[in-house]
Amino acid sequence: MTIFTVRNILNANFTLNRKGKLYFRYGTMGSAKTALLLTTAYNFEERGMRYLCMKPVIDTRDNRNVIKSRIGIERECIYIYPETDLYQYAKEYFKTINAVVDWFLVDEAQFLTASQVDQLSRVVDDFGSNVICYGLRTDFKTNLFEGSKRLFEIADTIDEIKSTCTCGHKTIVNARIDENGDILTEGAQVEIGGDERYIAVCRKCWRNKRIEQSTRHSLPFPELLAEIEKDC
């Protein structure tokens, strides 16, 4: 009978019978992605399963290494830095605890680099761990984030966490807004913020709001100008 020691597991020539998967669970802001991650972690803890919560350090809303949901629950996590090699980190962590982690739960996975997503896939393939990445699909301009793009390309399982726009349609766009509630279309791809900076809307509402804003301060149509001149 094969003994699954850390020494054997970290041996490149050792083949595991464990079968892990790389998951990507995405949704717009406010779709309860983080709450789902935290309840999943709680369930693993109750069942005595080994897990590790992580998130990119760029998410500085809480000023400390926690994953926190809008509903108020939170849990400590490991920061992922831009230079972090997640495959090497996993190997060292396994040595530290003398065991293999069953589940990695990664919040704000859109901020991972493509290389880091590849490193997580190696953790799945080489060690049989499961990795669940939670994150956004696109930015406020509807362009894919680097980490999300790579997850769409190589994840074993992709699930959408759906939420509803105020009009009743499914939310698709993470619209960035200013202090007046107007939708912004220019700016850096990454700007950390919550409800004061972003609203999740459907594609139709996103388009209509931008059209409304663009015509709000435009000149009247020619026929209206003629009426104004006539009155003068």
Side-chain angles (χ1 to χ4, degrees):
M1 183 177 72
T2 303
I3 300 175
F4 291 87
T5 64
V6 171
R7 178 178 297 178
N8 284 336
I9 289 170
L10 298 180
N11 185 327
N13 297 320
F14 183 79
T15 301
L16 285 171
N17 291 324
R18 294 162 52 96
K19 300 294 183 182
K21 292 179 69 174
L22 175 61
Y23 300 80
F24 182 34
R25 294 177 177 168
Y26 71 93
T28 54
M29 297 185 71
S31 59
K33 300 182 300 300
T34 300
L36 180 59
L37 181 155
L38 292 171
T39 54
T40 300
Y42 175 79
N43 288 333
F44 289 159
E45 192 170 76
E46 288 288 289
R47 295 159 58 187
M49 303 179 71
R50 290 185 292 270
Y51 71 93
L52 190 63
C53 294
M54 312 180 79
K55 76 169 183 179
V57 70
I58 192 172
D59 181 10
T60 56
R61 284 173 292 179
D62 298 303
N63 297 315
R64 55 197 178 98
N65 58 321
V66 297
I67 295 174
K68 185 176 181 179
S69 170
R70 293 166 185 255
I71 62 177
I73 57 176
E74 65 179 50
R75 186 176 290 267
E76 287 190 5
C77 68
I78 302 298
Y79 271 148
I80 300 172
Y81 294 88
E83 65 275 12
T84 301
D85 184 322
L86 292 171
Y87 184 77
Q88 292 300 322
Y89 180 89
K91 287 177 64 175
E92 293 303 316
Y93 188 77
F94 296 162
K95 291 178 182 177
T96 300
I97 66 173
N98 199 36
V100 173
V101 172
D102 300 311
W103 295 87
F104 288 87
L105 304 176
V106 183
D107 198 27
E108 305 292 354
Q110 72 272 7
F111 296 137
L112 297 174
T113 66
S115 294
Q116 287 173 329
V117 174
D118 288 340
Q119 292 156 13
L120 288 174
S121 72
R122 287 187 63 198
V123 173
V124 171
D125 297 339
D126 291 359
F127 306 130
S129 298
N130 294 281
V131 177
I132 310 180
C133 293
Y134 298 82
L136 303 175
R137 177 173 62 174
T138 57
D139 62 19
F140 74 108
K141 295 181 182 179
T142 68
N143 297 320
L144 286 169
F145 284 99
E146 178 182 348
S148 304
K149 179 177 183 295
R150 191 59 180 149
L151 282 163
F152 274 118
E153 291 168 343
I154 67 170
D156 298 298
T157 300
I158 300 172
D159 300 310
E160 182 179 15
I161 304 171
K162 299 178 181 179
S163 62
T164 305
C165 180
T166 54
C167 71
H169 289 100
K170 183 181 73 172
T171 59
I172 293 179
V173 183
N174 302 293
R176 185 181 295 171
I177 57 175
D178 62 17
E179 61 275 8
N180 298 316
D182 288 335
I183 290 176
L184 301 175
T185 57
E186 298 297 331
Q189 183 181 54
V190 178
E191 183 176 321
I192 303 302
D195 294 338
E196 80 288 351
R197 292 298 287 161
Y198 293 93
I199 56 171
V201 293
C202 70
R203 184 178 57 250
K204 184 176 181 180
C205 284
W206 182 65
R207 174 178 175 272
N208 288 345
K209 287 179 184 294
R210 287 184 297 129
I211 292 174
E212 176 190 341
Q213 289 173 201
S214 66
T215 59
R216 186 182 301 161
H217 303 295
S218 63
L219 292 173
F221 290 108
E223 56 269 21
L224 293 180
L225 284 173
E227 287 293 328
I228 292 173
E229 292 174 356
K230 181 180 177 181
D231 293 337
C232 292

